[in-house]
Amino acid sequence: AQKVTQAQTEISVVEKEDVTLDCVYETRDTTYYLFWYKQPPSGELVFLIRRNSFDEQNEISGRYSWNFQKSTSSFNFTITASQVVDSAVYFCALSERYNQGGKLIFGQGTELSVKP
Amino acid sequence: NAGVMQNPRHLVRRRGQEARLRCSPMKGHSHVYWYRQLPEEGLKFMVYLQKENIIDESGMPKERFSAEFPKEGPSILRIQQVVRGDSAAYFCASSQNEQFFGPGTRLTVL
């Protein structure tokens, strides 16, 4: 069965600190997809990134970076120089495919609070 | 370039009433997914539909819940005889590739 674990329920940092959100997944599939979504206080879900299981290159997008380690089944998310606007709940998710029926299996989410 | 639309954004029902949640996918998207977010929990998959077909309903409660995605019009998630435990945020997503989520409907059952 597929499972996603986000062990950190809540994280609180001070603005400009770096913060890493952990995500560990379980799957028996050899091909799968990993995602991160952001849920700000307004409640909507914002897509951040998709990563394929066969592409272990790390990715950087501005202050955001993602570290995919297949050997440890982890897909961690780092925010550099955090800002108050980064305060949100962040969800990691797993799917056996990303189109045509790829239902997402979500972790419990990590609530990030960035204080000024 | 409208995103996924859901209405209503907030819905209050008394126990025993029916709740109808609507989802209009992004233009060009023919796949719709419904997820439920219970208080203090993550999102759980409920059902996946294509036009006029339910493809995967493995996450749907066995009773009182149904979903449709007609040829014309929005996808509907219907909850009959609501109970307090149905209070949650219900999210719809549509896709051709990535799943893009709507703003959600917050259902409160009194």
Side-chain angles (χ1 to χ4, degrees):
Chain A
Q2 296 180 322
K3 184 180 178 183
V4 175
T5 302
Q6 295 179 255
Q8 305 150 307
T9 306
E10 297 178 13
I11 299 177
S12 183
V13 299
V14 176
E15 207 170 18
K16 297 185 183 176
E17 283 185 24
D18 298 348
V19 58
T20 296
L21 310 182
D22 297 333
C23 173
V24 174
Y25 62 91
E26 296 174 30
T27 181
R28 292 181 179 175
D29 296 322
T30 53
T31 300
Y32 51 88
Y33 300 85
L34 297 161
F35 304 79
W36 277 94
Y37 283 84
K38 174 182 179 180
Q39 187 176 39
S42 50
E44 74 273 22
L45 279 158
V46 179
F47 167 79
L48 295 178
I49 190 171
R50 167 177 53 85
R51 174 59 75 218
N52 310 327
S53 58
F54 43 88
D55 180 3
E56 286 194 70
Q57 278 193 336
N58 292 329
E59 181 150 344
I60 298 174
S61 176
R63 296 184 298 107
Y64 294 172
S65 62
W66 291 268
N67 185 340
F68 178 30
Q69 297 277 351
K70 218 167 174 179
S71 59
T72 56
S73 298
S74 65
F75 186 43
N76 297 337
F77 172 30
T78 297
I79 302 174
T80 303
S82 59
Q83 300 177 1
V84 173
V85 293
D86 296 327
S87 296
V89 180
Y90 290 86
F91 291 99
C92 180
L94 168 70
S95 179
E96 62 183 0
R97 47 187 184 272
Y98 80 99
N99 58 354
Q100 298 195 13
K103 64 186 180 188
L104 296 169
I105 309 298
F106 284 89
Q108 292 293 91
T110 297
E111 183 172 3
L112 174 64
S113 176
V114 182
K115 301 189 186 308
Chain B
N1 186 19
V4 180
M5 310 287 283
Q6 287 188 251
N7 67 81
R9 295 292 305 276
H10 300 274
L11 182 62
V12 178
R13 285 288 178 266
R14 296 192 180 279
R15 281 180 297 170
Q17 291 184 321
E18 179 179 285
R20 281 186 175 235
L21 289 62
R22 293 174 183 76
C23 170
S24 296
M26 289 178 71
K27 187 176 181 181
H29 287 189
S30 59
H31 307 273
V32 166
Y33 309 77
W34 286 93
Y35 294 83
R36 178 166 66 174
Q37 184 177 26
L38 292 166
E40 309 300 326
E41 293 188 18
L43 292 94
K44 305 288 187 192
F45 167 79
M46 298 181 76
V47 61
Y48 160 52
L49 309 102
Q50 293 180 18
K51 283 285 187 182
E52 300 185 276
N53 287 303
I54 297 174
I55 307 301
D56 180 354
E57 55 182 348
S58 58
M60 286 281 267
K62 293 287 184 281
E63 298 176 346
R64 302 187 296 106
F65 285 72
S66 62
E68 63 178 11
F69 188 16
K71 188 176 180 181
E72 302 290 338
S75 175
I76 306 286
L77 179 67
R78 182 181 177 206
I79 312 172
Q80 296 179 288
Q81 299 175 331
V82 295
V83 301
R84 288 212 174 114
D86 297 332
S87 295
Y90 292 83
F91 288 92
C92 164
S94 74
S95 78
Q96 280 301 101
N97 293 309
E98 314 304 348
Q99 289 187 32
F100 290 92
F101 283 79
T105 294
R106 270 90 183 149
L107 172 65
T108 301
V109 180
L110 302 177

